[in-house]
């Protein structure tokens, strides 16, 4: 837990810099759209599961600011 908080603390400059955070979120949104396109275009169950997992992870990353400011 202490190590986790140290890692979060190192991210404060990223998440609290509005310009950087907005740019980072824009990039995450673009990556989510790419994965959603994969979901729409494939019938391969493995690729569907990978895309769903990627979207879940990317959405969690978008919540990083709240976690850093709460625990970091």
């Amino acid at each position: 837990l202490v190590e986790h908080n140290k890692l979060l603390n190192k991210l404060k400059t990223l998440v609290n810099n509005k310009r950087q955070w907005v740019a980072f979120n824009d990039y995450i949104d673009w990556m989510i759209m790419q994965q959603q396109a994969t979901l729409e275009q494939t019938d391969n169950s493995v690729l569907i599961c990978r895309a769903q997992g990627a979207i879940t992870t990317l959405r969690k990353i978008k919540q990083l600011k709240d976690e850093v400011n709460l625990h970091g």
Side-chain angles (χ1 to χ4, degrees):
L1 185 64
V2 172
E3 190 66 30
H4 182 250
N5 288 344
K6 286 181 183 178
L7 290 171
L8 292 175
N9 196 40
K10 291 179 182 180
L11 296 171
K12 280 189 176 184
T13 55
L14 168 67
V15 302
N16 291 319
N17 180 308
K18 183 175 172 79
R19 185 178 56 81
Q20 285 182 336
W21 186 247
V22 167
F24 184 68
N25 266 282
D26 289 346
Y27 179 69
I28 297 289
D29 288 338
W30 179 83
M31 292 178 66
I32 289 171
M33 287 189 304
Q34 298 301 306
Q35 295 299 322
Q36 287 171 334
T38 298
L39 286 174
E40 293 170 358
Q41 297 169 6
T42 190
D43 59 357
N44 182 314
S45 62
V46 172
L47 293 179
I48 290 171
C49 287
R50 287 180 185 167
Q52 288 172 331
I55 291 169
T56 299
T57 301
L58 291 165
R59 287 184 176 152
K60 180 136 178 83
I61 290 170
K62 288 185 65 121
Q63 298 171 359
L64 184 62
K65 182 176 183 172
D66 295 333
E67 187 173 352
V68 166
N69 288 326
L70 182 64
H71 300 290

